[in-house]
Structures are given as C-alpha cells and as structure tokens.
Amino acid sequence: MNYTVNQIANITNATVIGDGNLMIKNIAFDSRIIYSTKNTAFIAINTSKNSGEKFIEAAIDRGITIVISEHHFPQFENITWIIVENSVEFLQKLSKYHFENSHLKSIGITGSNGKTILKEWLYQCLWNEFPTVKSPKSFNSQIGLPLSLLQINEAHKLGIFEVGISKPNEMEKLETIFQPQIGLLTHIGTAHLANFESEENLIDEKIKLFKDSEVIIYNGDNILVHKKINDLYSSKKLISYGFKNTNEVYFKNNISKDENVIVKYFDEEISFPVHQKDEATLTNALALVTVLKELDIKNEKIIEKINALKAVEMRLEAIEGQKNNIVINDSFNLDLDSLKTALQFLNEYKKSKRSLVLTDIVGVNSNSKELYEEVSELVNEQNFDSVFLIGDEISKFNALFKAKTHTFIHTQELIDSKYLTEIENQIILLKGARKFEIEKLKDLLELRKHDTVLEINLNALLHNINYHKSLLKPATKMMAMVKANSYGLGSYEISEFLQHHHIDYLGVAFVDEGVELRKKGITVPIIVMNPEQHSYETVIEYNLEPEIYSFRVLELFYQAVQKSGYDKKYPIHIKLETGMHRLGFKDFELDQLSEILSNKNLKVQSIFSHLSSADIPNEKEFTLNQLKTFEKNSSYLIEKLGYSPLRHILNSSGITSYTDHQYDMVRIGIGMLGESPNKEVQKQLHSVVSFKTVISQISLVEDGESVGYSRRFKADHPTKIATIPVGYADGIPRSIGNQIGNVGVNKTFAPIVGSICMDMMMINIDHIPNVKEGDTVTVFNAKPSLKEFAEYCKTITYEVLTSISPRVKRIYVKD
C-alpha cells in the first residue's frame, strides 16, 4: 500500500480535511497496539457494538497525524482527516481497488477448520518460488480480509488469503472485494453452525467465495459439499481431495501401517513420510499437495517442501521471569508479520522498561539492507532500553538500531555474556527464527522451572467476554471478577489484559487484592466486595471502592473518609439483600439508609445484589423473585437518593439466562473462563485454561506388585505405569486417586492409580500406544475437561481453579 491521502479519498469518495499530499503505507485500527506511526493512518471503525471514534485521542497521543473517521473532530489540531460515510465499507472499497490493481495470482481459503494452518503451510512451501503475501495471523473477517489485501505491494506475485464468515450474507460482501483465482475449501465443521439454519446453508454461504474462481479445490469426503460445488460450478476446474478413493486426490496406501504415505493425484503417485497421522493433519496434507500441483510445482520439490515443513506455532507466551521481569516468548517463527504481532502484544503491558532479543530473519526473499532497515524502524519506535541481535546477517546492521545494542553470532554467546540475567523490572521480548533455539533464553529467564504448568489462553478469554457482550446492549457496562488471584489464573496478568481491552470495572474480594493491582499499575475502578474494617484507610489511600452492606460498615467507612480528609464524595457500592441471605440491606432498612446517605460525603456509585441460583433452571421462579425484589428495592432507593447510580445483579449465568435484567452493568466471572451450565452457551465459549505436566518415568509393574503409598493399587497383570510430577501440593485432591480420576495422554483417558502423593502421582497407560517419557499429560482442558475434572473431585470448577498451587507456573498465551 502506497497512496497519498488525496488518492485514497478519490478511490473511496471520501472528503479530505488537511494535507492531502501525505503518504499512507499502513492503516492501524487499534489505538492500543500501534507499533509504528510513520506513514500510518488510524481508522476509527464504528460497529453496532462500539465506536472507534472513542479512541481517536489515544491514537493521536501515540503520534498519529492522519485519521480516517466518519466524523470530524476539530478540537484535535494539526491532524489530517479522511472523512468517510462508513468506516468498514471504506476499508472494503479501498482494498477492492488495491487488490484489483495488483495483478497477482491469488489463493482464497475458506472453511470451518484448517484455514490458518494451510495458509501458513502454503506460505512455507511457496515463498521461495514466488514473492508471496499472506494474511497476518487469522485476519479473515469483514475487517481482517481488507486489511490483509492492503498488504499487497508491487513486488508480490502470489497472495494467500483466509476468508472467514460467522453469519449469513457475510461472504457476499467479501466476494465483491476479493475474487481468488484458486479457491480452497477446507473441512466444514460445527464452527458458527449455530448461526445458520443448517449445514447446507453454511456450505452455500462459504462457496459463494468461488463465484469467479478458475479452479476450486475442495474436501470431497463431505457428500453435501461435493454435490453443491458440482451442481453450482460444473463449468470450472474442480479438484476434490479426501480419504475416499472417489476423490481426484486421496491416499492410496494404508496410512496407519506404512511409514510413508502415497498420495494418488489423478494418475500420479507421490510418496513422502508423515509423522503426525491424525485426520486433520492428513487432510490438510492432501489439500497442500493439490494446491502445489495446481501451481506446477514438481513432485520432487513437493516432497522436499513437505519434508521441510515446520510446525505452525501461532502463539506468544508471557511468563513470569526472575528479578520481577515479564518474559514474552515468541521463539516459534520470525518474519515481518510475526514481528509486528509480537510488538503489538508487547504494547499490552505497562512496564516502562523493555528489552528485545532478535535474530536473523531466515527464509525471506528480500534485499537484506531494505529488510533490516524496515525491521530497525519498527524496533526503534518501541524505545527499547536494550537490543540483543543474534546472527551474522542482522549483526551487520546493528548501527541502524538506536537502543543500546549488543551483537552475537550464536544464542549461546548471549547466554555466556550474562547480560540477560542482569536485567531487572523489565519486559523482555524473545523473537527469533527456530534455528537459533532462543527458547533456551526462556529457560534461563523464567522464574519457575516446574514441568507442571497452567496455561491461560488470553484470546480465548477475550472471545468469551465478547460473546457475553454480544448478548448485551452496547451501553451496558461489564465488571470482571478477578478475586482469588483471578480464580487462580493470576490477578495482575488477567487484570492487565482486561484493562487493555477496556473493561469497565474489576471486582476483588479483599482490599489486599486491590492494593496489589494498584501497585502494579491497574487504573480502572476496582470494587472491594468484602472490605474488612481494619482496611478502610487503605481502601481510600489506593482509590478502591468498597461494597457497603450494613449500617455498621457504612458508619465505620464514613469515619475513615472523614479522618482521611478526602474532600469529594467518596464512591461506594450498596449491596441489597434479595433472597440469598448472605450480605446486604433489607427492604425495611432502605428509608434509614437513604436518610443516612443524604447526610454524608459519600456517593452511591452502584446498587447491586447477587443471584444465588441463576445457573439452575429448576430455580427460575426463585430467581425471578430475586429480580423482582431487586427492581422494587433499588428503584425505591434511587427515588430516595434523588440520582441514579449504576445497577447490576447479573452474574455469568444471569447474563445468558436473564438478559432482559441486565440493567446498567453485569458481572462476569467463570463465564469468561469458558464455563457455562447452559449447553448451548457452552458450545459458543472457548476453553481458557489448560493444566499440563509431563511423564517423568514409565515402569512395568508386574502381576501382584503394588503402586504408591499404602499399596492401594495392585496389578493383576503386567501393567505400564507412568509417574507424573504433580500432586496434592499442586492442587490435585487426594480423593481422586485410586482410579476415581483420569488425566489425558495422547487424547486418551489414563486413570490415576494408587494414592496421590504430595508432589507426584501415578497413572495407568497400559491401554495407550506409543507413550514415552517426556510426553505431555493433560490434567484438564479438553480431555478431561475442566468440568469433568471437577466432577471427579465432587466439587465445582471455581474450587478446582482456586486450589491450584502458586508453585505451578502460569503461562499466558495468545494464539
């Protein structure tokens, strides 16, 4: 992309206010993750749920001087404006023009699963055959696809783009801006099926993308897909792939027994080794071969490229480091796109000091000087304190980097230098190509070395929050409960992420939890649900907002406010008793309460209550009575106060089951972690937490021999037993030993045998093939799920999560 402001305005019928000769090479859509302001315009995207115009000021504060917006805000001086009628349509119109004038060969990938994997595999295979551009990350939506297309430049000869939809009529819009010459349809699954009347409707919508394609490659194992494509596009070149030998491309041999697979491609045969033989990997391999053949790649090269494929790691990890550092580990791959993604992630953290480890960029057809000039520009804008360069190539350009820069040929040289171990109170980004093995630096810097980890997927957490928000009115606020160390996930890390994504309130149980967040830079309002009387001075000192549930608490807190000399009305939150009989003011106390409040220097920020049984369908009548009581009593109190505080009563289950009672704010807790008692809602949520460990040792226990303390398991035949380094000190209750609970090994349940020890336990793997020491064991995530694990423990998911020991390493992942 390389247009002047005036050119863009002419292409899109927009209006310019300011300097029309300014050049735009990049468009940023999120003020929080702007990593470069040079030749960058900020677009304020307005949707039915949010207005990007709220963040124009934040973008300007970061240095943006060109803004694309539906409205002009003259209070911001020295800004060039591109005024558009509709921000999303503007993006689509500009990208359509850009794509149509690019003259490159294009591949469009759609489907339910496998889009990103296939895009990355194709890029790995084709970048050195053609100058290639691809969608960054999973940019495939109404906004993501246009932003991807705008990355095309004059040098590119091939473009590989994902196209995703979640609702009817979305593909029609995307097809008008992007018409791929080669259309690739991956597996059709259940993702987004709930938004369509049937699988048939979903398929109809997906294949609209191929209306103008010359070639369509599709998974022919799905009979409905095969019929639809052949009925609609019989005049085009159609190639089906799949396990059935009725496809043009399929496996000829017995893939489960043979070391190599033999792909039958029409009349040709191509043989190559496949290490992972799960259905998804094999299906993607067939699609990959088919596209490569269509691009006239020779069989020998296809085999060579498949053998060189690297695992697609679409994740960044944030780990607690030594000396109060945070380590962001992105040592999985390195190109310009993934560097930009890592720099965006870096900007989600508030630590002022930061360091970067960066290696050579391997496998990019580009002029080295131009490449590293662009890299250094991106890096310099982040104001790193120190930059550590690893590799022959990048070290030649060390003078381009403004920070204090050190160069090394190999990773081990950096380790030996001891520079990294001297860093304190910083965020350290590790960004490198696989061959440099900079994951060794993660091992050096991390605080906890325990093989047992709790992995928290931040993107999944955000998805779950957004799902619940989709049920609400745009103006309804949301409070996230981060008490009890964010249900065991990490109070600061989760709060920092939520603050970055504009959560309205945070809720903690005790003052100490709120103080910790304030000390680490959390600035959003924090409600303390149980402020103990000795902590009121601390509440005021750290600008926390207390729940007031009785006259005694009200009087004591007011005395603390007077003593502090606070000269404004201090915000408090009034809890009403509506039937749970835990805490709160009762209806007969409201007159006295309103009278006392009218004479005190306090402001009621919100009035709220708590539903005891919103997750139990059989208690609907009781819940409706609670809601009725809350409506009556809160309305009465508001009338007496003479102003309208926020009202909130819905928890996670309430949001999904009693949406009509959302009032001004809702509170989300376990729902953001992907748990719901409603089966239909559960299908829409993503799993956030994975509890994992590894196999320490595998032993053969002979017939009659016993395992563990008290000899509670005795083998009745020679049995393979694995020991794993997790026990009751990590949060695994002893009650689920002796074959009550299971863990997951190779997607198979492995029963826990014998007594659970403090630091380890034993599992039966006799029925699971190909297990070896060092393999991953899932305590809970998918198999078993968190809910299943809680059932083993005869408790609820909250207790399971909050019981996980602090010694278990927390890893924060963004896919």
Side-chain angles (χ1 to χ4, degrees):
M1 188 177 155
N2 199 11
Y3 300 104
T4 65
V5 168
N6 282 336
Q7 286 172 328
I8 287 177
N10 289 335
I11 293 165
T12 61
N13 297 319
T15 302
V16 175
I17 301 173
D19 188 351
N21 295 315
L22 294 176
M23 188 64 66
I24 297 178
K25 295 185 178 180
N26 302 292
I27 292 179
F29 65 97
D30 189 331
S31 63
R32 298 162 298 184
I33 53 176
I34 294 172
Y35 54 85
S36 174
T37 57
K38 185 178 180 182
N39 302 125
T40 298
F42 173 73
I43 182 167
I45 296 177
N46 290 338
T47 67
S48 59
K49 288 291 179 185
N50 208 352
S51 169
E53 292 176 354
K54 294 189 297 187
F55 309 111
I56 288 174
E57 184 173 4
I60 292 171
D61 287 344
R62 285 184 174 269
I64 289 291
T65 57
I66 306 171
V67 175
I68 303 163
S69 175
E70 293 173 15
H71 302 93
H72 176 221
F73 298 89
Q75 66 267 36
F76 300 111
E77 298 179 356
N78 302 317
I79 300 297
T80 292
W81 298 85
I82 301 176
I83 305 301
V84 301
E85 190 171 324
N86 180 291
S87 52
V88 176
E89 290 176 5
F90 160 84
L91 262 185
Q92 293 173 344
K93 194 180 293 185
L94 179 61
S95 65
K96 174 182 172 68
Y97 174 89
H98 190 67
F99 172 70
E100 288 176 348
N101 287 274
S102 65
H103 310 297
L104 50 62
K105 195 173 190 71
S106 57
I107 302 170
I109 308 174
T110 192
S112 302
N113 308 104
K115 297 187 293 293
T116 301
I117 292 288
L118 272 168
K119 176 199 70 185
E120 296 296 330
W121 277 4
L122 283 165
Y123 182 77
Q124 286 184 39
C125 291
L126 295 169
W127 68 267
N128 56 0
E129 301 291 331
F130 318 93
T132 304
V133 60
K134 64 180 172 72
S135 306
K137 300 187 287 184
S138 298
F139 274 34
N140 58 33
S141 65
Q142 303 289 310
I143 296 168
L145 177 63
L147 290 169
S148 299
L149 295 175
L150 289 172
Q151 292 190 123
I152 301 168
N153 66 39
E154 291 178 357
H156 291 135
K157 303 298 180 189
L158 176 69
I160 310 170
F161 301 102
E162 290 182 53
V163 186
I165 58 164
S166 57
K167 296 176 185 175
N169 304 317
E170 288 185 335
M171 189 62 86
E172 207 162 333
K173 295 178 184 176
L174 296 178
E175 194 277 333
T176 61
I177 64 173
F178 173 55
Q179 303 84 37
Q181 291 164 296
I182 298 174
L184 173 57
L185 182 67
T186 66
H187 172 72
I188 294 291
T190 57
H192 307 302
L193 189 56
N195 298 329
F196 292 84
E197 291 179 10
S198 65
E199 182 185 10
E200 186 173 355
N201 294 134
L202 175 63
I203 294 167
D204 286 340
E205 186 73 16
K206 295 274 187 187
I207 64 178
K208 286 178 184 176
L209 178 65
F210 309 139
K211 191 172 75 172
D212 295 309
S213 298
E214 298 167 9
V215 181
I216 302 173
I217 297 167
Y218 66 96
N219 187 335
D221 285 347
N222 186 314
I223 296 170
L224 194 54
V225 166
H226 181 76
K227 183 179 186 309
K228 288 276 183 187
I229 286 182
N230 280 271
D231 285 351
L232 193 61
Y233 296 127
S234 57
S235 61
K236 299 179 185 292
K237 182 177 181 180
L238 306 179
I239 308 174
S240 67
Y241 65 89
F243 286 87
K244 298 176 183 177
N245 60 11
T246 51
N247 292 298
E248 282 85 15
V249 185
Y250 62 93
F251 292 111
K252 183 181 177 183
N253 63 324
N254 188 328
I255 53 179
S256 62
K257 292 182 179 178
D258 299 342
E259 186 176 331
N260 280 17
V261 297
I262 301 172
V263 174
K264 184 81 171 174
Y265 177 86
F266 292 92
D267 296 327
E268 299 179 55
E269 291 182 3
I270 307 169
S271 176
F272 52 86
V274 173
H275 303 297
Q276 281 183 254
K277 293 191 176 181
D278 59 279
E279 185 176 341
T281 300
L282 291 169
T283 305
N284 288 338
L286 287 172
L288 177 68
V289 168
T290 308
V291 176
L292 295 179
K293 288 292 292 181
E294 183 57 31
L295 292 171
D296 295 324
I297 307 297
K298 303 298 181 188
N299 289 359
E300 313 82 65
K301 268 200 170 181
I302 289 175
I303 295 167
E304 180 186 318
K305 290 175 183 295
I306 289 175
N307 286 333
L309 279 179
K310 298 167 185 172
V312 178
E313 297 282 3
M314 305 294 293
R315 53 185 256 162
L316 299 97
E317 299 176 338
I319 301 162
E320 188 180 3
Q322 299 176 35
K323 298 187 176 181
N324 199 33
N325 294 313
I326 293 173
V327 180
I328 296 181
N329 176 35
D330 190 9
S331 57
F332 303 110
N333 60 16
L334 176 59
D335 55 26
L336 272 176
D337 285 341
S338 68
L339 176 60
K340 291 172 183 176
T341 300
L343 295 176
Q344 290 172 358
F345 188 42
L346 187 75
N347 285 325
E348 294 185 11
Y349 288 84
K350 297 294 183 187
K351 281 186 181 282
S352 56
K353 291 192 172 184
R354 47 182 66 178
S355 291
L356 169 68
V357 177
L358 185 64
T359 73
D360 284 351
I361 296 179
V362 179
V364 177
N365 272 349
S366 181
N367 177 287
S368 290
K369 186 172 184 296
E370 289 180 4
L371 173 65
Y372 289 110
E373 281 177 350
E374 187 171 355
V375 167
S376 63
E377 279 186 20
L378 290 171
V379 169
N380 289 339
E381 288 199 60
Q382 312 313 309
N383 297 315
F384 285 102
D385 289 80
S386 301
V387 172
F388 303 91
L389 305 176
I390 304 176
D392 284 321
E393 195 69 26
I394 197 169
S395 293
K396 296 174 187 173
F397 300 96
N398 68 308
L400 297 174
F401 296 86
K402 293 180 180 176
K404 187 177 181 181
T405 304
H406 308 270
T407 59
F408 307 89
I409 303 303
H410 306 292
T411 300
Q412 190 59 47
E413 287 183 36
L414 175 54
I415 293 171
D416 294 340
S417 74
K418 304 272 176 63
Y419 281 126
L420 290 181
T421 54
E422 294 171 1
I423 294 175
E424 295 183 30
N425 301 309
Q426 289 196 27
I427 186 163
I428 305 170
L429 172 60
L430 309 179
K431 186 70 185 131
R434 268 184 195 277
K435 75 174 220 175
F436 289 97
E437 298 180 321
I438 64 170
E439 62 271 15
K440 292 176 180 176
L441 302 178
K442 181 200 80 167
D443 297 337
L444 173 72
L445 294 168
E446 67 184 353
L447 181 63
R448 293 176 175 85
K449 311 292 184 181
H450 199 4
D451 280 335
T452 301
V453 301
L454 193 70
E455 191 173 278
I456 298 101
N457 188 312
L458 296 175
N459 278 353
L461 185 141
L462 183 61
H463 165 86
N464 297 336
I465 286 176
N466 287 337
Y467 170 76
H468 286 84
K469 280 186 174 180
S470 73
L471 306 176
L472 305 172
K473 299 170 186 173
T476 303
K477 297 179 183 295
M478 181 173 279
M479 181 196 304
M481 303 307 297
V482 293
K483 59 185 180 177
N485 197 31
S486 289
Y487 301 96
L489 274 59
S491 181
Y492 166 67
E493 291 81 2
I494 298 301
S495 298
E496 176 78 40
F497 182 74
L498 293 171
Q499 176 173 268
H500 180 75
H501 288 282
H502 304 297
I503 203 75
D504 298 292
Y505 270 86
L506 296 173
V508 298
F510 300 108
V511 171
D512 289 349
E513 296 174 323
V515 169
E516 180 190 358
L517 295 178
R518 285 283 186 254
K519 285 181 175 178
K520 291 185 174 180
I522 301 300
T523 58
V524 296
I526 299 174
I527 295 181
V528 182
M529 296 298 190
N530 192 11
E532 297 160 298
Q533 64 186 54
H534 70 273
S535 65
Y536 296 154
E537 290 180 6
T538 309
V539 166
I540 298 163
E541 181 183 354
Y542 285 92
N543 192 30
L544 305 173
E545 301 178 13
E547 169 187 323
I548 304 295
Y549 52 82
S550 72
F551 290 117
R552 181 183 67 87
V553 170
L554 177 59
E555 185 57 37
L556 289 172
F557 184 72
Y558 181 61
Q559 290 174 13
V561 172
Q562 286 183 304
K563 185 179 176 182
S564 72
Y566 193 86
D567 58 356
K568 299 176 185 174
K569 286 185 174 290
Y570 200 93
I572 62 171
H573 300 262
I574 297 295
K575 174 75 174 287
L576 299 183
E577 161 56 42
T578 57
M580 189 168 181
H581 296 293
R582 190 167 65 175
L583 295 172
F585 289 97
K586 299 174 178 62
D587 52 4
F588 62 83
E589 297 176 310
L590 296 181
D591 284 329
Q592 183 184 354
L593 174 62
S594 60
E595 186 178 341
I596 292 172
L597 288 171
S598 65
N599 295 315
K600 295 192 182 298
N601 193 30
L602 300 171
K603 180 187 179 185
V604 179
Q605 198 74 10
S606 82
I607 303 169
F608 73 103
S609 190
H610 191 60
L611 299 177
S612 72
S613 310
D615 57 337
I616 304 174
N618 291 340
E619 295 290 354
K620 183 173 183 179
E621 184 179 351
F622 180 84
T623 302
L624 289 174
N625 279 330
Q626 274 199 276
L627 291 165
K628 185 178 178 181
T629 301
F630 180 70
E631 169 61 29
K632 174 188 165 190
N633 291 351
S634 62
S635 296
Y636 183 80
L637 184 56
I638 287 171
E639 183 183 345
K640 288 287 187 179
L641 290 173
Y643 60 92
S644 298
L646 299 172
R647 288 193 283 179
H648 51 106
I649 189 170
L650 297 188
N651 52 11
S652 294
S653 297
I655 295 170
T656 55
S657 299
Y658 299 92
T659 312
D660 290 344
H661 301 271
Q662 61 191 263
Y663 289 102
D664 308 294
M665 185 160 68
V666 297
R667 303 188 302 272
I668 191 167
I670 202 71
M672 68 181 172
L673 306 188
E675 295 295 318
S676 174
N678 184 313
K679 290 181 181 178
E680 292 306 310
V681 172
Q682 186 67 62
K683 290 177 185 176
Q684 302 295 327
L685 302 180
H686 292 175
S687 176
V688 170
V689 189
S690 299
F691 195 6
K692 298 176 181 178
T693 188
V694 298
I695 293 175
S696 301
Q697 186 176 32
I698 296 173
S699 305
L700 184 66
V701 176
E702 299 292 349
D703 185 4
E705 291 184 337
S706 61
V707 173
Y709 288 120
S710 306
R711 304 191 69 207
R712 288 186 175 155
F713 175 82
K714 293 179 183 177
D716 58 9
H717 65 278
T719 305
K720 272 198 300 184
I721 300 293
T723 301
I724 59 177
V726 59
Y728 60 77
D730 298 293
I732 309 294
R734 291 184 79 248
S735 61
I736 68 167
N738 302 312
Q739 302 182 81
I740 292 173
N742 296 281
V743 295
V745 179
N746 291 349
K747 299 182 180 179
T748 305
F749 284 122
I752 302 166
V753 296
S755 298
I756 292 173
C757 312
M758 182 181 289
D759 310 302
M760 63 190 79
M761 63 187 184
M762 286 65 73
I763 58 176
N764 187 337
I765 56 169
D766 209 38
H767 58 298
I768 308 174
N770 305 318
V771 183
K772 60 185 184 300
E773 293 175 358
D775 279 359
T776 297
V777 177
T778 301
V779 180
F780 60 73
N781 177 22
K783 195 176 185 75
S785 68
L786 173 56
K787 193 167 285 186
E788 286 172 321
F789 190 83
E791 287 168 1
Y792 301 150
C793 304
K794 296 185 178 178
T795 187
I796 57 175
T797 51
Y798 296 86
E799 185 176 351
V800 169
L801 290 172
T802 55
S803 298
I804 297 169
S805 167
R807 79 176 185 179
V808 174
K809 179 169 61 183
R810 270 72 171 169
I811 296 177
Y812 301 90
V813 173
K814 283 193 78 176
D815 290 337

